[in-house]
Amino acid sequence: MYVDVKTPLNLVFTARINGEIFEDDFKIALDKIQQKHPLLRVSIDDTTKKYPFFVEEKEMASIPIRIVERTSDEDWLLESEKEWYRIFEDNKKPMAQIVWVKGATISEILWVLPHCICDGTTGVTLMRELLALLDDVSLELNPYKDFDSVNDFLPTDFNFKKKKRKARFYLLIAKLFFLMQSKNSNTNQGKNYALHRKLDVTVSKKIVEKCKANGISVHALLCSAFMQAFKEIQGKKAKGKVISPVDVRHFIPEIKQDYIFAFAPTVELLLDKDNNDLLSNAKHIKKDLIQKIKKMQVRELLWMGENMHSVVNSMVSVLKSSRGSHDVTLSNMGKINIRGGYKNFTLETIFSPTVAFPWLNSNTLVTTTYNEQMDFTFMSNENFLSKEEAIKIKNKAIELFIS
């Protein structure tokens, strides 16, 4: 997710509020948030050692705010797309930015952070803390100590000798794989874009009820619907596979819900290509997901990752030039736990995060639910998937999803 010093890869998380907020309160709130979270006080050193690493800056500047005049309900999405290309290159400034799309009564607040320091849960945490402090700047947040290394997560009986042999084996396999892939020169040269859709309460409830009645999860139905949509729109070009990130906090309780963290283990979920029944495929996906999550050794995955730094450049090169074996990366963040009522404003809604991956296959779907409304953002690149075709896929998937 770091890629390199010249490549932006930012996550943008947006909330819409109705009411009055003040710039001075923003500054107080952001200083308190910055003092709580260590990763909001670091820079990335990519010159001192062989591989890049975080360095805490003793004299770090405050989190900046960019204020934009609000002219329409779509401004947040336009500003979000602009922030995809922000590069956090000044070591004395934090790897975080606030954009305030400011209207007379309605405003959008955008958190912008590099994906290498945050995941979707981080965005929820930071938005929750910011809104609470904008409502009452006297609130205090409890700082925590950052982790020193992946060794902090290892069990006491971790067999380093055995695992190092395993790591060397996987490293050798990875080097051979990337060596075979290195001749591909395709890269994305097109324009990144984001599509957005929010379902109303009635439709969103209907989907949840359908899932309960059929013994499936909303996530499984989402995967089934979008893979089926790719199949119907793209035909033989469709892969019938979804990559789905999972919140690392489910596996490592030391990483608290309100900690900033950036590692997300993933699972691959497959569509039964000979079966066009949406619910049947959803049941299959749910079963497959449960089994794969049970088998996950996330602490070991973290440790193994630290032994793979020497192939990261090759990995990035392949991601930038390979069409991949999946249709879409689908991140379902579920219900967003942020209260709606405050003294001087209300939280109207949450928009699913946006992100522009620099990979050739940049198809990404993020979903959230807030106030019983499901929300979707679908991102890709014109060079890989035309916007017109993406609209067809999105519309077909939602049609299948809500039917």
Side-chain angles (χ1 to χ4, degrees), residues 99-362:
V99 179
W100 178 9
V101 183
K102 185 179 181 181
T105 56
I106 304 294
S107 290
E108 282 84 21
I109 299 170
L110 286 66
W111 268 106
V112 184
L113 302 109
H115 212 336
C116 66
I117 70 165
C118 74
D119 59 359
T121 299
T122 295
V124 176
T125 293
L126 293 178
M127 190 65 75
R128 183 190 300 115
E129 291 175 349
L130 179 56
L131 293 176
L133 283 161
L134 288 174
D135 189 52
D136 181 0
V137 293
S138 69
L139 289 177
E140 297 297 333
L141 303 179
N142 295 320
Y144 57 92
K145 185 180 181 300
D146 204 6
F147 302 104
D148 292 323
S149 78
V150 294
N151 291 344
D152 293 348
F153 306 118
L154 298 179
T156 54
D157 59 350
F158 190 80
N159 189 329
F160 280 93
K161 186 175 181 180
K162 181 180 178 181
K163 298 300 181 183
K164 281 183 178 179
R165 288 198 299 268
K166 183 178 179 181
R168 284 195 292 268
F169 172 74
Y170 279 112
L171 184 61
L172 176 61
I173 296 298
K175 285 181 177 179
L176 291 172
F177 172 78
F178 292 129
L179 184 65
M180 294 169 62
Q181 302 289 321
S182 60
K183 294 181 180 179
N184 195 336
S185 60
N186 294 328
T187 56
N188 257 339
Q189 301 296 326
K191 183 179 185 298
N192 292 101
Y193 60 84
L195 307 175
H196 175 254
R197 173 76 181 274
K198 187 180 290 291
L199 304 182
D200 63 34
V201 173
T202 302
V203 173
S204 299
K205 284 184 175 180
K206 181 182 175 183
I207 292 166
V208 173
E209 289 167 0
K210 180 168 70 173
C211 290
K212 288 181 179 178
N214 289 277
I216 56 176
S217 63
V218 172
H219 184 77
L221 186 61
L222 269 170
C223 292
S224 181
F226 271 87
M227 280 192 282
Q228 185 66 33
F230 270 92
K231 183 179 177 182
E232 292 192 22
I233 301 301
Q234 292 192 323
K236 292 182 179 180
K237 286 173 59 180
K239 307 294 198 308
K241 181 193 291 185
V242 161
I243 293 176
S244 188
V246 185
D247 192 342
V248 69
R249 296 162 186 79
H250 295 320
F251 308 93
I252 305 179
E254 298 96 305
I255 306 170
K256 306 295 184 184
Q257 280 296 117
D258 64 338
Y259 285 11
I260 293 182
F261 206 77
F263 179 76
T266 60
V267 292
E268 294 183 351
L269 302 169
L270 298 172
L271 185 73
D272 184 350
K273 289 192 175 184
D274 297 324
N275 185 353
N276 290 328
D277 183 76
L278 187 73
L279 294 177
S280 176
N281 266 308
K283 290 176 182 177
H284 164 73
I285 289 167
K286 179 186 177 183
K287 182 179 178 181
D288 190 30
L289 178 62
I290 291 171
Q291 291 176 343
K292 287 179 176 177
I293 286 178
K294 282 183 179 179
K295 293 178 181 178
M296 274 188 169
Q297 301 293 325
V298 175
R299 295 175 189 271
E300 183 177 324
L301 277 174
L302 267 170
W303 183 83
M304 290 284 283
E306 284 295 275
N307 290 273
M308 296 289 173
H309 279 291
S310 62
V311 295
V312 167
N313 289 337
S314 297
M315 185 186 301
V316 168
S317 178
V318 168
L319 286 168
K320 285 183 174 181
S321 61
S322 170
R323 299 187 67 85
S325 60
H326 62 290
D327 291 316
V328 65
T329 299
L330 194 163
S331 177
N332 176 23
M333 294 171 58
K335 291 183 179 180
I336 302 300
N337 180 24
I338 303 179
R339 65 188 171 101
Y342 300 86
K343 287 182 292 187
N344 297 313
F345 59 88
T346 57
L347 175 56
E348 293 281 305
T349 195
I350 291 289
F351 297 107
S352 299
T354 69
V355 61
F357 286 105
W359 322 139
L360 181 60
N361 185 344
S362 48

